[in-house]
Amino acid sequence: MQSQSEEDLPSHDEEASFQYRGSLSEVAFPEILYTIDRFQVPGVMEASRQESIKRVFVREGNVVSASSSEIEDSLGHHLERSGLISAQAFAEAMVERRQTHKRLGVLLIERGLLTPAQVYQAIRQQIEGIVWSLFDWPDGEIRFKIGGFRTPDAIRIQLPMRQVILRGIERSQSAKTLVARLGRKETVFEACYRTEDLIETALDVDEMRLLGLVDGRRSLFEICTQGPRGVAENGKLLYAFHALQLIRRCEVPAAPLAEPPLDETSGAIRIRFKTVTPKPGS
């Protein structure tokens, strides 16, 4: 678990920066991430829900770190769940950590329990897990503070934001909710991407095949049923393409189909942030 230490406290510049606030009940998390990425601004996004607080650190279009108040998101628990270390080895390392104040990964390498490559990969997976867990939050408050920051971990990890958005949506359990944001079954989409966008997003063969079905003529229902994966998975991918602005709705909808709709709910995609300027002395 990444605790609130001096290292992950906001810097003076961050405290003096603008703050953007939003609610996950109104704005989808992937769309918030895309907006942050589009403006290429550094900062810390804090998500809070009930007793849980998770922070995502963003710099130069990459997620570089993440922290969580939930103990199950900690590096040690991730290593235990992955079977990389035993419960006893973890307990012994934590005792030494409290005595030496060394980082857990450093101790595990020095004890010969893990290689540096294993520690790096584990930290990367831990950060991904924290970020991807937010894709399934049905509600919660989001605050993004623009400005410099000190990351809570000295290890430098870079997760391209576009790939974070795509993979996070793929792993989301709320397929119906995401597909509903695309519109009705007869909604038609057209492509609006640059090839450079596809490279940065790192689309695979199936994803490219699905994107190829978006031709300004096929409906949402047709693409989801004709795509290379299951209907729900195709729908999530289409939503990811839309959130990443690789596709957009056509102005003229297709003729209604006889088949039952995927979902009768249409969701507007819009970002509603309130700009908050900190009061002097705050």
Side-chain angles (χ1 to χ4, degrees), residues 24 47-54 69-70 137-141:
L24 291 176
S48 58
R49 180 172 181 261
Q50 298 174 358
E51 300 299 319
S52 179
I53 298 176
K54 301 191 180 190
S69 63
E70 298 183 18
W137 277 22
D139 52 56
E141 298 302 314

Side-chain angles (χ1 to χ4, degrees), residues 83-100:
L84 290 173
I85 61 173
S86 65
Q88 180 179 351
F90 173 51
E92 292 173 353
M94 291 302 293
V95 171
E96 185 176 352
R97 183 186 184 191
R98 286 191 289 270
Q99 295 172 345
T100 63

